[in-house]
Amino acid sequence: MKARIIFLSIAIAALLLTACGKKELENAQNWPLEDFTYTTQGGKQLGLEDLKGKVWMANFIFTECDTVCPPMTANMVEIQEKAEQEGIENIHFVSFSVDPEIDTPEVLKEYGEQFEVDYKNWDFLTGYGQEEIEQYALKNFKTIVKKPREGDQVIHGTTFYLVGKDGLVKKYYSGVSDVPYDQIIEDIKILQ
């Protein structure tokens, strides 16, 4: 009887400690990001160093996109709104333009306004060359960005990336259809 009580006490203590422990992000990728400093829609500089200590989401879009970028931007707005409703602070959203010659800060600002983006924690980035963003996307986010010689549509991935306070890419999600909003919000909370 005494052994059973001791065993039961240990089991309950272990359960309580597990329940109180910090929840881990499942299947974290932990891809490192190289430093960057680019220009926002407001004409200011934003870089990896500025985002240190924040959880942030990234994607790749361009303003003349006539297929996936509008729904991706609308879906990111949805995540931004859900995060605010959940009281999540210290979250930032970053959209890298994959067509930097066309997407000036002014053009990006106007694009974001069409989607009623709240710029208090969302920046659209430009101010780099085409080859630079193609290489940065491939090396750091493991996604393709390629501007064909013909036409105005840039080939790019449609993924949302969740980056931790440590500047490592933790997870990625579909950014166009079947966006797992609840999972993203839960993952953001875990990283907070």
Side-chain angles (χ1 to χ4, degrees), residues 44 69 86 131:
K44 297 179 179 173
C69 300
E86 291 285 326
E131 187 175 330

Side-chain angles (χ1 to χ4, degrees), residues 111-163:
Y111 176 80
E113 287 170 353
Q114 292 172 11
F115 292 91
E116 298 181 9
V117 164
D118 186 345
Y119 287 120
K120 77 173 182 249
N121 65 340
W122 190 339
D123 286 294
F124 289 81
L125 299 181
T126 189
Y128 36 78
Q130 187 66 41
E131 187 175 330
E132 183 178 352
I133 192 59
E134 290 177 8
Q135 290 301 313
Y136 193 84
L138 184 61
K139 189 170 183 184
N140 294 275
F141 290 94
K142 303 181 187 335
T143 190
I144 188 169
V145 170
K146 189 70 181 162
K147 186 168 185 175
R149 293 177 194 238
E150 302 293 321
D152 64 352
Q153 295 301 294
V154 181
I155 299 164
H156 66 94
T158 59
T159 303
F160 290 163
Y161 301 89
L162 182 60
V163 182

